[in-house]
Amino acid sequence: KLIFLIKNNCPSCCLSDRAVVLGSLAMGTENNIKSLVDCHIIPALLQGLLCSDLIFIEACLRCLRTIFISPVTPVQLLYTDPTVIPHLMSLLSRSQHTQEYITQIFAHCCKTPEHQTVLFNHGAIQNIAPLLISPSYKVRMQALKCFSVLAYENAQVSMTLVNVLVDGEQLSQVFVRMMQRDKPIEMQLTAAKCLTYMCRAGDIRTDDNCIVLKTLPCLVRMCSKERLLEERVEGAETLAYLMETDIELQRIASVTDHLVSMLADYFKYPSSVSAITDIKRLDHDLKHAHELRQAAFKLYASLGSNDEDIRKKVMHSILLYYIVSALF
């Protein structure tokens, strides 16, 4: 009934209240979201975006955001109607809330090269780039995530990003500033991913200072034991991808902040310290120990793929870990 009322013309205050109620329902279990999707809530909410009332638009977008970031929602539903993406682009200028919700939807629903192409062709880069200097951290962060998923293994997007200016500054330099140590870890890591993808696409040289002096050291920092488990996995996998085909980056990484020996810690989960001090952390480590090991082996493989000396160092580190483990 609520969906029917949203789809039909009613006073905007009533519509907003109903959209908020639907959004609250979507905040529940995955079964709740699946039920809403099965009841065709997405087309109803997308139709609601044609309303002129900003409060109602924001309520619909908030509900759509919650639904689309759920793993039970098919992201392809965003692309079924070809008029939806251009209309969402046009709503980016309405408010900080519309900017946050729409960029978060894009970031979660860009899963394939076809999705990248659709967003690119409808002006995603030009429309989202200015949001990187928004006064709202949430908007900046979601815009950054959009560029990360848009640029992943996409030469066309990466080539365009190199020439983009944001308030007179090259986009790559905006990403570099976002990797500074005083920025939130999430922002540092996502900005490093953007530059990594641009580098692998061949649009930033591997010997460029923004790669050698900024991106690579940032990703190495993400591998330290002070970082959260997910950050360490993502940092190691991104670093492995960055230097996979470049021997000089492999050499630099191998002597940066004891990276090779640092990776040995990836095999030490769950640790006895975790078991004593934090049961929740122990459970977390048990669930993700495989991801850590897999990320470490990817990075070891990338490090030692070309240089024999690095390969020996890697093998020595792995062997030493297993010898020490066998003694206890």
Side-chain angles (χ1 to χ4, degrees):
K1 186 177 179 181
L2 282 171
I3 296 173
F4 173 80
L5 290 171
I6 282 180
K7 293 174 69 175
N8 289 274
N9 292 324
C10 297
S12 61
C13 59
C14 297
L15 288 173
S16 298
D17 290 342
R18 288 161 187 157
V20 169
V21 170
L22 287 171
S24 298
L25 288 173
M27 293 293 287
T29 65
E30 290 185 355
N31 285 335
N32 286 351
I33 293 177
K34 189 175 185 308
S35 296
L36 288 171
V37 172
D38 291 342
C39 290
H40 307 292
I41 180 63
I42 291 176
L45 291 168
L46 290 173
Q47 183 177 324
L49 298 181
L50 299 174
C51 176
S52 60
D53 184 78
L54 179 59
I55 295 176
F56 177 55
I57 289 172
E58 289 178 347
C60 288
L61 285 172
R62 187 161 48 247
C63 187
L64 283 165
R65 182 269 309 268
T66 303
I67 291 170
F68 272 119
I69 65 176
S70 169
V72 303
T73 305
V75 298
Q76 193 59 36
L77 292 175
L78 183 67
Y79 303 94
T80 303
D81 183 343
T83 67
V84 167
I85 299 300
H87 186 60
L88 289 173
M89 294 292 178
S90 72
L91 293 175
L92 280 170
S93 61
R94 295 294 300 273
S95 72
Q96 285 188 3
H97 288 307
T98 64
Q99 291 168 354
E100 177 191 345
Y101 303 148
I102 291 170
T103 50
Q104 191 169 5
I105 289 170
F106 287 163
H108 278 272
C109 294
C110 186
K111 303 291 188 184
T112 69
E114 291 73 24
H115 297 161
Q116 292 174 324
T117 299
V118 171
L119 294 173
F120 177 83
N121 288 342
H122 285 99
I125 293 176
Q126 296 88 337
N127 284 291
I128 296 174
L131 305 186
L132 291 170
I133 55 173
S134 166
S136 164
Y137 171 78
K138 289 181 178 179
V139 172
R140 293 198 305 276
M141 194 62 237
Q142 294 305 327
L144 185 60
K145 288 181 178 180
C146 276
F147 282 117
S148 174
V149 296
L150 282 168
Y152 179 65
E153 295 188 343
N154 192 307
Q156 183 183 33
V157 170
S158 294
M159 182 173 61
T160 304
L161 293 181
V162 171
N163 299 313
V164 171
L165 295 179
V166 180
D167 199 25
E169 185 178 24
Q170 282 191 321
L171 188 60
S172 59
Q173 291 308 305
V174 176
F175 292 152
V176 167
R177 283 194 290 103
M178 289 178 158
M179 289 191 298
Q180 292 174 352
R181 291 173 182 263
D182 62 337
K183 303 299 182 187
I185 295 299
E186 178 187 33
M187 178 172 282
Q188 291 184 46
L189 184 51
T190 309
K193 289 170 70 174
C194 290
L195 288 165
T196 293
Y197 301 154
M198 292 168 69
C199 179
R200 282 301 306 268
D203 297 302
I204 298 179
R205 291 167 55 94
T206 57
D207 60 355
D208 191 295
N209 283 345
C210 76
I211 297 298
V212 177
L213 302 181
K214 301 295 182 179
T215 307
L216 188 146
C218 174
L219 290 172
V220 171
R221 290 200 305 273
M222 296 303 119
C223 297
S224 70
K225 61 184 178 181
E226 285 76 26
R227 300 272 58 85
L228 296 177
L229 184 149
E230 291 90 342
E231 295 163 353
R232 296 175 72 184
V233 169
E234 202 169 350
E237 290 182 343
T238 306
L239 181 56
Y241 183 62
L242 172 64
M243 62 185 181
E244 186 177 22
T245 60
D246 191 274
I247 188 170
E248 190 56 36
L249 287 180
Q250 293 163 8
R251 287 171 176 163
I252 294 170
S254 70
V255 296
T256 301
D257 292 343
H258 308 288
L259 176 63
V260 174
S261 57
M262 187 191 302
L263 287 177
D265 287 332
Y266 277 52
F267 298 94
K268 297 179 180 178
Y269 285 85
S271 66
S272 57
V273 174
S274 296
I276 296 171
T277 62
D278 192 340
I279 298 301
K280 288 185 178 180
R281 180 62 181 270
L282 172 62
D283 182 59
H284 186 261
D285 291 351
L286 281 168
K287 290 179 180 177
H288 295 88
H290 174 70
E291 291 181 18
L292 274 175
R293 290 180 173 85
Q294 188 176 49
F297 279 126
K298 283 182 182 178
L299 188 44
Y300 275 142
S302 184
L303 273 170
S305 60
N306 292 294
D307 189 288
E308 184 62 29
D309 289 338
I310 300 176
R311 194 151 41 238
K312 289 179 180 177
K313 187 188 296 186
V314 166
M315 293 306 298
H316 177 266
S317 176
I318 296 175
L319 183 61
L320 183 61
Y321 165 74
Y322 281 112
I323 292 173
V324 172
S325 298
L327 295 175
F328 295 93

